[in-house]
Amino acid sequence: LFRSLIYRNLGQVRSVIEEGQRGVCRHDFDQQPPFGFRSVVYFGETKYCIPLHDPMGVVARLKASVAVYPELMKKTITQESLWGGEFSLWSCDLFSASADVYNAAGCMTRAAQFIVQALFAINEEYFLNDKHINRNLARFTQAPDNSAERLADILSRPGRDSRELRASLDSLCQLWSEVVSLTKGAYQPRFNLATARAIPSSSPSE
């Protein structure tokens, strides 16, 4: 069984956990591939780590502090992820219409990772990394049917022309909308994007 040895600054871990419990979450998008580093990772590492030496019980106390998924962090990650997804899908519309594959596919990938983050928060699961996303999505009790398969279909062939890109965008908008429905009205966009530009019929701002 493979184990990773992780070195962390306990002061930094404690600070990030305290922030997260207040609903403060950080996302350093360019820090590491493919989608950056999120502060929620500290929560997951703390919960699942096996300390090699903890005579003062420092790690044990940190583990106790993350035993329950913080409600404020759940609200923040869900809200910000769904908004990030909505804005990415909105941006994708113009690129799809002009058959700009580079930017349209980038927006779809960006929206997809926001959808994944929202699902982790909705299911009160600490996100650790992107390595086992398909397996995690499959076991979530609150998730659209066949989420991993649908994301794979969209991202594996987003399209080469405006028609194909729009079809992929519509499919991704539908998946996004199904995730929004899991919040039971808790998600609220920052502003109505439909007033800025028309978007697809299955789009988030309809």
Side-chain angles (χ1 to χ4, degrees):
L1 180 63
F2 176 77
R3 298 285 186 183
S4 297
L5 185 62
I6 300 177
Y7 289 94
R8 292 293 187 206
N9 181 313
L10 285 177
Q12 173 75 6
V13 173
R14 186 181 295 107
S15 175
V16 171
I17 289 175
E18 290 172 353
E19 282 189 337
Q21 291 169 335
R22 298 196 305 271
V24 177
C25 303
R26 304 185 186 280
H27 179 199
D28 300 311
F29 195 86
D30 290 329
Q31 184 169 327
Q32 66 185 46
F35 304 118
F37 184 87
R38 288 177 165 81
S39 57
V40 67
V41 171
Y42 284 105
F43 283 76
E45 289 179 348
T46 300
K47 180 175 180 177
Y48 298 112
C49 77
I50 301 174
L52 298 179
H53 186 63
D54 187 28
M56 305 300 292
V58 175
V59 177
R61 288 191 293 275
L62 288 173
K63 278 180 167 291
S65 71
V66 302
V68 177
Y69 199 105
E71 186 62 27
L72 288 177
M73 188 170 75
K74 176 181 179 178
K75 291 179 179 178
T76 297
I77 294 177
T78 302
Q79 173 68 28
E80 294 303 311
S81 296
L82 289 175
W83 170 249
E86 178 169 3
F87 189 71
S88 298
L89 294 170
W90 177 80
S91 300
C92 186
D93 176 54
L94 182 62
F95 296 129
S96 298
S98 61
D100 185 341
V101 175
Y102 174 82
N103 283 297
C107 286
M108 290 181 204
T109 303
R110 185 180 178 91
Q113 60 91 25
F114 278 127
I115 287 172
V116 167
Q117 291 301 316
L119 285 172
F120 267 86
I122 290 169
N123 285 274
E124 298 186 355
E125 291 269 359
Y126 294 130
F127 174 81
L128 279 169
N129 55 56
D130 295 288
K131 295 177 181 178
H132 306 295
I133 291 301
N134 291 338
R135 185 171 66 196
N136 286 320
L137 292 181
R139 66 179 178 78
F140 283 163
T141 57
Q142 297 189 74
D145 292 339
N146 304 311
S147 297
E149 292 81 358
R150 291 162 69 182
L151 284 175
D153 285 341
I154 296 166
L155 299 179
S156 63
R157 44 181 180 274
R160 293 180 58 85
D161 56 37
S162 58
R163 180 186 61 81
E164 293 177 349
L165 290 169
R166 179 55 60 86
S168 294
L169 174 57
D170 284 343
S171 296
L172 196 53
C173 284
Q174 177 59 39
L175 182 60
W176 181 93
S177 296
E178 291 175 34
V179 177
V180 170
S181 70
L182 295 174
T183 71
K184 297 178 173 59
Y187 169 67
Q188 295 296 321
R190 292 181 182 174
F191 53 88
N192 186 1
L193 291 171
T195 62
R197 187 174 72 243
I199 49 181
S201 57
S202 59
S203 64
S205 291
E206 186 176 50

